[in-house]
Amino acid sequence: MKVVYIIIVAVFILSFTNDYYLIQPKGWPTKNYDFSNNRLTPAGVKLGRRLFYDKALSADCTIACASCHKQQYAFSDSGLAASKGIGTRTSTRNSMPLFNLVWAKEFMWDGGANNLEVQPLAPLTNPNEMGNTLAEVVRRLNQSTSYRRQFRAVFGGTEITGQHVLLALTQFLGTLVSYRTKFDSVYQDIAAVKFTEEEQRGYALFKSNCNRCHTEPMFTNNQYEALQPPQNNANADSGRMRISGAQADFGKFKVPTLRNLVYTPPYLHNGSCSTLQAAIDAHATFGGRVLATEQQALIAFLKTLTDKKFVEEYH
Ligand code: HEC
Ligand code: HEC
């Protein structure tokens, strides 16, 4: 009797402790997405990961999320300005790296999604990317016994629903946290880690020229800015204006994070800059430009934002 009692208590306790705890690095802002309505568990993350790598999510079963978001490039694409979608299609913008998403407020270059849970609907249904519908994804998943078993273990119920698919993907995306950089060690005042003299000079330049938009420690202020004077041709990407409808937002794009830049070329929303130097030079519309001689120090600082563990360890 006693043994049975102990086993029941142990299972009861385990069912409450089997959570996946997401790190909150020292000095970082509060998370914008906190999983209070989508309990983060190892089984949920594993399921989200399986979906992320599954080509069956696209209309013709050739493209997975991971086709355009590859771990070795910090979950961006491999040196491509535009990514390959289904058939002969290509995405219209440069694939974005995926990490620290639970701290973000809006997603995509124009902020077109304001909730991490619904963000995956955009690539799933975009005709240039996966060209599918959520209903079709759900139909296919429900035909798989192993998916049904996995979904049931995470969300209960007998049928897989569209909401479950989105919640599971969110669990996986949420666990992509990149925080183990040289910058973070210095920022958190971890003993023995110091910038070199050149990185220190770059950091000072960064704080006076870049930090108001690329605000540390997330390296974005979550705002939209235009780097170039508005182009008035019919093919121009109107950027933030597509979402807000305001003429003043024409050609504005989300201020991107500057973490892991060594893994994510080419740069900018259209992938038009293949080097960091070019991306910095592209900031033409506002003052405070950095002298050529200072660029090297600035780039040395930007390289302290490289998280090698993030791209190498299992995700
Ligand atoms: C064909 C390439 C492609 C595929 C497939 C793809 N993405 Fe993307 N992803 C992109 C591009 C391009 C952007 C930028 C979109 C924009 O600004 O319009 C992006 C943006 C994102 C963002 C926003 C990141 C940020 O910081 O704002 C998230 C999150 C994301 N994708 C997740 C996913 C998930 C999950 C899937 C699978 C369901 C997926 N993507 C499939 C190319 C792709
Ligand atoms: C007024 C706001 C603002 C300031 C100040 C600013 N940036 Fe940017 N930065 C942006 C925006 C917006 C983008 C994306 C633009 C686009 O895609 O068209 C960007 C993009 C970048 C990129 C490309 C990142 C990527 O993933 O594609 C780099 C690198 C960069 N900035 C570095 C810097 C540096 C270094 C400084 C200081 C010398 C700086 N920025 C100052 C707003 C700013």
Side-chain angles (χ1 to χ4, degrees):
M1 263 325 272
K2 234 182 196 159
V3 174
V4 171
Y5 180 72
I6 288 168
I7 290 173
I8 289 171
V9 170
V11 168
F12 184 75
I13 291 171
L14 273 176
S15 73
F16 279 95
T17 52
N18 192 22
D19 281 304
Y20 185 115
Y21 289 101
L22 208 53
I23 184 158
Q24 170 69 35
K26 198 173 125 193
W28 283 26
T30 320
K31 297 182 182 87
N32 193 50
Y33 184 93
D34 65 5
F35 290 101
S36 51
N37 296 312
N38 180 16
R39 186 175 157 215
L40 190 60
T41 62
V45 175
K46 195 172 166 203
L47 173 56
R49 181 180 195 280
R50 183 176 176 192
L51 293 167
F52 187 83
Y53 283 94
D54 193 343
K55 293 179 177 170
L57 265 61
S58 66
D60 63 2
C61 298
T62 60
I63 302 287
C65 305
S67 306
C68 304
H69 297 288
K70 303 184 177 88
Q71 175 167 1
Q72 70 265 40
Y73 307 110
F75 292 96
S76 69
D77 211 347
S78 41
L80 293 170
S83 296
K84 198 196 163 312
I86 56 165
T88 54
R89 303 292 193 121
T90 47
S91 68
T92 50
R93 292 183 183 146
N94 186 224
S95 171
M96 302 175 89
L98 305 181
F99 51 79
N100 304 346
L101 296 167
V102 295
W103 283 273
K105 299 208 162 62
E106 290 165 333
F107 304 91
M108 301 198 281
W109 282 106
D110 54 18
N114 63 6
N115 186 320
L116 187 54
E117 285 173 15
V118 301
Q119 203 287 332
L121 274 178
L124 274 175
T125 58
N126 188 322
N128 296 321
E129 299 183 355
M130 302 172 96
N132 211 344
T133 63
L134 186 57
E136 174 60 13
V137 170
V138 168
R139 194 190 65 78
R140 288 181 194 174
L141 295 174
N142 269 309
Q143 287 176 337
S144 152
T145 327
S146 83
Y147 262 125
R148 286 173 76 107
R149 199 182 309 119
Q150 236 180 313
F151 271 97
R152 194 177 321 120
V154 176
F155 300 107
T158 48
E159 287 281 301
I160 299 169
T161 68
Q163 199 197 14
H164 293 156
V165 174
L166 297 176
L167 292 177
L169 276 169
T170 304
Q171 292 208 23
F172 172 68
L173 294 173
T175 60
L176 303 176
V177 183
S178 176
Y179 64 102
R180 284 159 302 177
T181 68
K182 183 170 187 184
F183 165 81
D184 290 286
S185 301
V186 175
Y187 188 70
Q188 295 180 18
D189 207 8
I190 292 170
V193 183
K194 299 242 174 328
F195 283 145
T196 63
E197 195 255 326
E198 188 182 41
E199 289 163 355
Q200 189 64 48
R201 241 181 322 120
Y203 186 34
L205 287 164
F206 175 82
K207 287 218 266 204
S208 48
N209 295 289
C210 324
N211 197 52
R212 73 189 160 99
C213 292
H214 300 284
T215 313
E216 63 180 7
M218 309 319 289
F219 294 90
T220 175
N221 58 0
N222 300 303
Q223 300 296 310
Y224 302 85
E225 299 285 347
L227 296 191
Q228 310 285 341
Q231 312 157 263
N232 271 324
N233 68 65
N235 300 324
D237 186 336
S238 59
R240 182 63 180 163
M241 185 181 144
R242 265 183 38 185
I243 306 305
S244 70
Q247 188 63 44
D249 286 337
F250 185 89
K252 287 191 178 173
F253 294 92
K254 184 162 98 171
V255 175
T257 177
L258 300 182
R259 288 177 176 269
N260 294 315
L261 290 169
V262 300
Y263 302 116
T264 65
Y267 305 106
L268 306 189
H269 69 278
N270 52 8
S272 57
C273 295
S274 52
T275 64
L276 281 176
Q277 183 105 31
I280 298 170
D281 286 343
H283 290 56
T285 49
F286 45 87
R289 295 275 306 278
V290 184
L291 297 172
T293 49
E294 295 173 322
Q295 280 228 7
Q296 213 167 333
L298 196 50
I299 288 172
F301 166 70
L302 292 178
K303 288 188 174 163
T304 71
L305 294 167
T306 305
D307 185 348
K308 198 160 173 281
K309 286 203 184 92
F310 177 71
V311 297
E312 285 177 357
E313 76 184 1
Y314 180 83
H315 280 294

